[in-house]
Amino acid sequence: MKVNCKAEILKIEKLKEDIYKFSIKAEEIVKAAKPGHFIEIRVVDAIEPLLRRPISIYNLEKEQGILEFIFQVKGKGTELLAKRKVGEKLDVLGPLGYGTFSIKDYKKVAIIGGGIGTFPLYELAKELKEQTTTNVHVYMGFRNKELITLEEEFKNVSDELTITTDDGSYGIQGFSINELKKDCEKEVPDKIFACGPLPMLKAVQSYAKEKNIPCEISLEQKMACGIGVCLGCAVKTAKSPEDAPVYWHVCKAGPVFNASDVEI
């Protein structure tokens, strides 16, 4: 159940030139949140900008009631958010979304993220390890070395970590999906989880379908309201007829979907 609260900013870290991590006190949201949920933040206590900004949950510290989120400055809203100070309170609505990642006891899972799409996968990896999943293999893809974020954090919640860069400046040169395919030839995971840019998600979706591997993807559609009112985050369902397409809204039905259920 979603909660609207005034969450105190406990800590702010600048991870990269334009990437920030906020730690906030939001006990009621933390109690209800699951991996894959997101929150909507009013970036300033003013009329402009009017709309909240949707941001994925990065980490939950349930005993302390602390929620952490990471965002990249991309426009006016996130620029204003980056200027907030420790001790101030944020107007936060959450947890939002119906579709969340499936946390079960698996023998082996593959978690693949690209760029800023890696952020919401941390809590997933952490909770899978806590649920005694035997092997959690995380694949992280970035354009170059300068953009790599959270390497040490993901090392701590995974059994294996593979990092790729498009230009080969760090880790393995190429796309993370290629390394996933190589490893699947040796041992097929029980499930693939993915979040990242659309081309990567399409490649993961196609491969999972080809190999008949269960797969869940988290979609990062543009949202305005986050609660299904504005209807701006529609995604077509995979089995709807061409002459009468059916759409789901990512903020309500997702943001996590079975890869076989949606057309992206």
Side-chain angles (χ1 to χ4, degrees), residues 58 108-115 117-129 133-142 148-164 172 175-177 179-180 183 189 191-195 200:
Y58 160 67
K108 181 179 177 67
V109 299
I111 298 175
I112 180 169
T118 60
F119 304 156
L121 297 172
Y122 175 81
E123 181 65 24
L124 168 66
K126 187 181 77 174
E127 292 202 20
L128 283 170
K129 287 302 298 176
T133 295
T134 304
N135 187 287
V136 175
H137 193 151
V138 176
Y139 302 80
M140 301 168 69
F142 300 90
I148 294 173
T149 314
L150 307 175
E151 178 179 2
E152 290 302 316
E153 288 82 354
F154 272 97
K155 277 184 181 178
N156 293 332
V157 295
S158 61
D159 297 285
E160 300 176 73
L161 177 63
T162 298
I163 296 179
T164 63
I172 301 170
F175 299 129
S176 52
I177 179 66
E179 300 308 308
L180 171 63
D183 291 336
K191 194 142 195 180
I192 298 173
F193 300 94
C195 183
M200 188 205 83

Side-chain angles (χ1 to χ4, degrees), residues 18 20 22 43-44 49 53 55 71-84:
D18 59 351
Y20 294 81
F22 277 43
V43 295
V44 291
R53 293 318 191 255
I55 299 179
F71 66 96
Q72 183 176 28
V73 175
K74 286 191 169 183
K76 182 178 180 180
T78 47
E79 184 178 348
L80 289 169
L81 181 58
K83 294 178 180 178
R84 299 298 296 264

Side-chain angles (χ1 to χ4, degrees), residues 68-121:
E68 294 184 319
F69 62 89
I70 301 175
F71 66 96
Q72 183 176 28
V73 175
K74 286 191 169 183
K76 182 178 180 180
T78 47
E79 184 178 348
L80 289 169
L81 181 58
K83 294 178 180 178
R84 299 298 296 264
K85 305 297 183 183
V86 171
E88 293 181 349
K89 292 192 175 181
L90 288 177
D91 186 327
V92 182
L93 180 65
L96 297 173
Y98 175 78
T100 55
F101 291 114
S102 300
I103 304 295
K104 300 178 182 178
D105 290 342
Y106 302 100
K107 181 180 178 183
K108 181 179 177 67
V109 299
I111 298 175
I112 180 169
I116 60 174
T118 60
F119 304 156
L121 297 172

Side-chain angles (χ1 to χ4, degrees), residues 170-205:
Y170 189 87
I172 301 170
Q173 184 172 11
F175 299 129
S176 52
I177 179 66
N178 295 333
E179 300 308 308
L180 171 63
K181 290 178 179 180
K182 290 177 185 177
D183 291 336
C184 285
E185 293 300 317
K186 303 171 188 174
E187 182 180 4
V188 177
D190 298 320
K191 194 142 195 180
I192 298 173
F193 300 94
C195 183
L198 197 57
M200 188 205 83
L201 290 181
K202 286 184 176 181
V204 172
Q205 181 190 49

